[in-house]
Amino acid sequence: MSTNTQSQSLASLTQSVHSLRTSLTLLDSSISILSTGISDFPRLKRVLTSTRHFELTPSSSLITAQKSLASELDPAIIELLRRSEGVVAKMERRKEALVARSELLEGRLEGEDERGGLRKKRSFEMRSGKGKGGEGEKVLRLKALRAKKERLGYAVERLTLQSQQRQRQLRMSVAATPAD
């Protein structure tokens, strides 16, 4: 039985070797299939771990955030608009005051030019001898009265311009005050 047992053992070993070779072939083909399947893993890992630049949020949360932001900013914007309108109105009143002052000073300058011309004419008359004796006193008195008349005319003009300026300021302040 030894030969028979040997031959059975040999046949059994041959089948085992054949089964082992078949298993190895199957294992090799599985390894090659797995190798091609995981060759793209480093790239997939990099793609999957990258940061997201855009995140989707529901429209309801966007609308809620917009309403919240608007409710926070509206009072501040209204306050800034109110302040800027006040500053603009103040600058307008200042502009009008400066224009009125400019007109007043311009009128004074024109009057001084006219007065300067009259003074030169009168001083020439006095030097040429037209105002001698009793007439000299009358001429001086007349000269003083004319000067007083001019001063009073300028004072009236100045007061008129100031009155107009105050009326403008009053109109601006009434227009700037909101109606109740």
Side-chain angles (χ1 to χ4, degrees), residues 42-73:
R43 185 186 69 82
L44 286 174
K45 180 182 176 190
R46 203 175 30 227
V47 167
L48 292 174
T49 59
S50 68
T51 58
R52 288 187 279 174
H53 295 287
F54 302 100
E55 192 169 316
L56 298 177
T57 57
S59 62
S60 61
S61 62
L62 285 177
I63 291 170
T64 304
Q66 286 175 339
K67 287 180 182 177
S68 171
L69 186 61
S71 68
E72 289 176 14
L73 292 180

Side-chain angles (χ1 to χ4, degrees), residues 20-178:
L20 187 60
R21 282 190 182 153
T22 307
S23 293
L24 283 173
T25 308
L26 252 159
L27 191 59
D28 280 342
S29 77
S30 297
I31 288 174
S32 69
I33 289 171
L34 278 173
S35 161
T36 58
I38 64 168
S39 66
D40 203 26
F41 274 4
R43 185 186 69 82
L44 286 174
K45 180 182 176 190
R46 203 175 30 227
V47 167
L48 292 174
T49 59
S50 68
T51 58
R52 288 187 279 174
H53 295 287
F54 302 100
E55 192 169 316
L56 298 177
T57 57
S59 62
S60 61
S61 62
L62 285 177
I63 291 170
T64 304
Q66 286 175 339
K67 287 180 182 177
S68 171
L69 186 61
S71 68
E72 289 176 14
L73 292 180
D74 278 346
I77 290 172
I78 290 169
E79 176 64 22
L80 289 174
L81 284 173
R82 187 187 61 77
R83 284 184 188 174
S84 64
E85 288 171 351
V87 168
V88 167
K90 183 178 178 183
M91 295 304 280
E92 285 291 327
R93 288 191 300 272
R94 185 158 189 243
K95 176 186 167 189
E96 289 178 4
L98 289 173
V99 165
R101 180 166 168 76
S102 169
E103 291 171 356
L104 176 66
L105 292 174
E106 191 175 293
R108 284 183 180 173
L109 282 175
E110 289 174 3
E112 284 181 12
D113 288 344
E114 290 173 4
R115 262 192 284 160
L118 287 175
R119 284 183 189 153
K120 288 178 185 174
K121 184 178 176 185
R122 288 185 195 137
S123 66
F124 176 74
E125 288 176 354
M126 291 299 283
R127 275 187 261 131
S128 65
K130 290 184 179 176
K132 291 189 178 180
E135 285 183 21
E137 287 179 20
K138 287 181 182 179
V139 169
L140 288 176
R141 183 168 160 78
L142 184 61
K143 186 177 181 184
L145 288 173
R146 283 184 183 159
K148 186 175 181 180
K149 178 183 171 187
E150 286 179 20
R151 281 194 310 270
L152 290 173
Y154 290 124
V156 167
E157 183 180 345
R158 179 177 49 88
L159 291 173
T160 303
L161 288 173
Q162 286 177 351
S163 170
Q164 290 172 352
Q165 178 184 358
R166 287 189 180 134
Q167 286 175 354
R168 276 189 230 133
Q169 288 175 345
L170 180 63
R171 275 187 251 127
M172 290 297 293
S173 66
V174 167
T177 308

Side-chain angles (χ1 to χ4, degrees), residues 1-12:
M1 286 214 151
S2 82
T3 52
N4 202 2
T5 341
Q6 274 183 342
S7 84
Q8 276 182 343
S9 298
L10 194 57
S12 160

